[in-house]
Amino acid sequence: PLREEKSGMKRVIITILIFLFGIGCGFGAFFMLKTGGNMKKEELKSVQRLEVPKTETKASKEQKKKEEPKNSEQVKEKDDVPNFGTQEEETKAVEEICNSLDKKPSVVMICITCVDALLGTDMERVCRKAEEKTGLLVRPCYMYALTREGRKPPMVHVRQSIYSLLEPKKKKGNVVNLLGYFSPLVDDCELYELLHGAGVKTIHEISRCRDYAEYQTMSEANFNLVLHPEARFAAEDFHDRLKIPYIELRRLYQIDKIASQYRAFGAALGAEFDDEKPRRAAEDAVAKFRESHPDAAFAVGEWMNGDPFELALALVRYGFRVPEIYGTLSGENFVYVKQLAQISPETKVFSNLEPTMLYYDGSQSGVSLTIGKDAGYYHKECPNVLWNEERQPYGYAGVRRLFESLAEV
């Protein structure tokens, strides 16, 4: 009885650990299968029917008999340990996938979730073994949801992993890398013209690289421009490994702050930017929208291209009301909250992570326009601008495009 009690307790502990560490990651896939998810029971049965039974020889039967537990206690102990596969199987899986392809990839990236963190999988070793087997570059990419609110969340690791493949090259003084996004800036962004005016001939963005060889030319950059905080650690790796310094610029929707940022950037380069034309276009778009929607009241969400608190501050400074913001507070954006508290104390901040948001009632909020997919969800009756296109809005062009989109809804 005591052994059975210990055995049962062990199962309970393992179940609790897997539940706690697996939520949002590998456990999500398990949960989807158990509850139906995207795979119907009929489809699952059809997959199971495709399994081909192995033909056992006399020698294999004897070997299997030797490996079987000798007593019931060993059987219980074996059942208590969950079988999640081995590191050798992961290496073999990479080899099989690569061998099945007509055209071999330049790089293999293995993305790892919280389940591997719980199991203590040595992914560095797995990648080294996979490189030996395949003859290709294999890199780990840590995507632990457990670290989402920490110093280095998953998307920080992703950016570091992607740029870790760059090899040292001779530097060119007229080459710049734009780091921060996995898709390019909008084509009419003024940043391109400003850089060209400062003597930059080549501007690299990873999303515009046509192949692996062109991606490697990013090592020739004289400096990097970091356009999103999540690329900061990748830029530091650039500096440590490839001796490429970086300058950080933020995505802003306050026109005067954009101008100040460009002035500081130009001073660092020893150049003077002529941004009068794009700035005037952004100011005209704001003025035109304010003229047609003087009483606009916004709900600003975080599922969009921008910081919800900085955008809300910009809207308030332009003369609009912002009754509600949906976002996650951090040290990066708390400075905007303090300014909002002074000029718009009635603005309320909600967290999308709060379970009670399921019962949210916005009927008395006074909101008339929403920005972001989450804000649109809470106020289905209001016009909504998703503002989450793949091409990234930035600078004056971002402000102009936003207010042009708001005028159309």
Side-chain angles (χ1 to χ4, degrees), residues 156-214:
V156 171
H157 280 292
V158 170
R159 286 168 169 84
Q160 282 186 292
S161 298
I162 289 174
Y163 292 116
S164 68
L165 296 160
L166 292 172
E167 300 171 0
K169 289 181 180 292
K170 186 178 179 181
K171 304 296 179 289
K172 295 181 179 179
N174 56 5
V175 178
V176 173
N177 294 328
L178 302 185
L179 309 182
Y181 306 110
F182 296 118
S183 53
L185 303 183
V186 290
D187 291 334
D188 58 353
C189 180
E190 73 281 351
L191 182 58
Y192 296 125
E193 289 188 12
L194 295 179
L195 287 171
H196 288 313
V200 175
K201 290 187 177 180
T202 305
I203 302 172
H204 286 307
E205 293 172 273
I206 191 168
S207 53
R208 294 187 188 270
C209 293
R210 290 165 294 184
D211 51 36
Y212 186 72
E214 186 174 350

Side-chain angles (χ1 to χ4, degrees), residues 341-409:
Q342 294 176 357
I343 63 176
S344 181
E346 69 278 4
T347 297
K348 297 178 181 179
V349 177
F350 298 90
S351 172
N352 287 316
L353 302 177
E354 172 56 50
T356 57
M357 287 300 287
L358 288 170
Y359 311 106
Y360 169 82
D361 180 10
S363 58
Q364 304 300 318
S365 65
V367 171
S368 60
L369 279 167
T370 61
I371 302 175
K373 191 171 185 178
D374 46 347
Y377 170 81
Y378 295 124
H379 296 277
K380 296 181 176 66
E381 73 286 354
C382 296
N384 172 255
V385 173
L386 292 175
W387 200 237
N388 60 354
E389 291 79 7
E390 284 294 323
R391 297 273 174 152
Q392 295 295 317
Y394 191 85
Y396 299 127
V399 176
R400 174 178 52 78
R401 282 171 167 259
L402 173 61
F403 281 91
E404 287 174 350
S405 299
L406 288 169
E408 292 174 359
V409 296

Side-chain angles (χ1 to χ4, degrees), residues 69-123:
K70 297 291 188 295
N71 51 53
S72 60
E73 184 61 35
Q74 285 180 307
V75 171
K76 287 181 180 178
E77 188 66 27
K78 184 178 179 181
D79 291 341
D80 288 340
V81 181
N83 178 21
F84 293 104
T86 64
Q87 297 178 19
E88 288 73 18
E89 288 172 345
E90 292 172 351
T91 303
K92 186 178 179 182
V94 175
E95 183 182 12
E96 288 179 357
I97 291 171
C98 291
N99 289 339
S100 68
L101 300 174
D102 295 331
K103 183 180 179 181
K104 295 292 187 292
S106 302
V107 182
V108 176
M109 193 76 75
I110 303 178
C111 296
I112 311 114
T113 61
C114 302
V115 175
D116 289 282
L118 171 64
L119 297 174
T121 307
D122 186 353
M123 291 309 301

Side-chain angles (χ1 to χ4, degrees), residues 135-393:
L136 301 171
L137 291 172
V138 183
R139 292 290 185 274
C141 184
Y142 300 96
M143 301 185 70
Y144 299 155
L146 294 168
T147 64
R148 181 184 171 188
E149 304 301 328
R151 180 168 167 267
K152 296 178 73 174
M155 295 314 295
V156 171
H157 280 292
V158 170
R159 286 168 169 84
Q160 282 186 292
S161 298
I162 289 174
Y163 292 116
S164 68
L165 296 160
L166 292 172
E167 300 171 0
K169 289 181 180 292
K170 186 178 179 181
K171 304 296 179 289
K172 295 181 179 179
N174 56 5
V175 178
V176 173
N177 294 328
L178 302 185
L179 309 182
Y181 306 110
F182 296 118
S183 53
L185 303 183
V186 290
D187 291 334
D188 58 353
C189 180
E190 73 281 351
L191 182 58
Y192 296 125
E193 289 188 12
L194 295 179
L195 287 171
H196 288 313
V200 175
K201 290 187 177 180
T202 305
I203 302 172
H204 286 307
E205 293 172 273
I206 191 168
S207 53
R208 294 187 188 270
C209 293
R210 290 165 294 184
D211 51 36
Y212 186 72
E214 186 174 350
Y215 156 79
Q216 283 293 336
T217 61
M218 296 182 76
S219 298
E220 301 172 350
N222 187 39
F223 68 94
N224 292 323
L225 270 183
V226 176
L227 305 181
H228 194 290
E230 288 182 343
R232 193 178 297 147
F233 284 100
E236 290 178 359
D237 284 348
F238 266 93
H239 185 266
D240 294 339
R241 293 191 308 106
L242 306 176
K243 310 306 177 188
I244 301 176
Y246 70 93
I247 299 173
E248 186 168 350
L249 302 178
R250 298 186 67 86
R251 172 157 55 191
L252 302 169
Y253 288 93
Q254 301 171 79
I255 293 176
D256 60 333
K257 301 298 182 183
I258 296 172
S260 299
Q261 184 169 247
Y262 280 149
R263 281 197 300 270
F265 177 40
L269 297 181
E272 187 174 346
F273 293 141
D274 181 12
D275 62 347
E276 183 63 28
K277 184 178 178 180
R279 176 174 181 168
R280 194 184 307 114
E283 291 172 340
D284 290 345
V286 175
K288 186 177 180 180
F289 178 80
R290 186 167 51 227
E291 184 179 343
S292 59
H293 299 77
D295 300 322
F298 290 92
V300 182
E302 63 183 340
W303 294 3
M304 55 91 186
N305 292 323
D307 184 308
F309 300 99
E310 193 278 330
L311 176 54
L313 178 60
L315 292 169
V316 171
R317 292 185 64 202
Y318 293 147
F320 304 107
R321 290 194 307 114
V322 181
E324 297 177 349
I325 303 172
Y326 311 99
T328 304
L329 276 171
S330 67
E332 295 281 347
N333 52 34
F334 194 71
V335 62
Y336 306 127
V337 177
K338 290 199 295 184
Q339 294 179 57
L340 278 168
Q342 294 176 357
I343 63 176
S344 181
E346 69 278 4
T347 297
K348 297 178 181 179
V349 177
F350 298 90
S351 172
N352 287 316
L353 302 177
E354 172 56 50
T356 57
M357 287 300 287
L358 288 170
Y359 311 106
Y360 169 82
D361 180 10
S363 58
Q364 304 300 318
S365 65
V367 171
S368 60
L369 279 167
T370 61
I371 302 175
K373 191 171 185 178
D374 46 347
Y377 170 81
Y378 295 124
H379 296 277
K380 296 181 176 66
E381 73 286 354
C382 296
N384 172 255
V385 173
L386 292 175
W387 200 237
N388 60 354
E389 291 79 7
E390 284 294 323
R391 297 273 174 152
Q392 295 295 317

Side-chain angles (χ1 to χ4, degrees), residues 11-31:
R11 290 192 186 96
V12 171
I13 291 171
I14 289 172
T15 303
I16 292 173
L17 285 172
I18 292 173
F19 180 80
L20 290 177
F21 287 97
I23 283 181
C25 304
F27 185 78
F30 172 80
F31 182 79

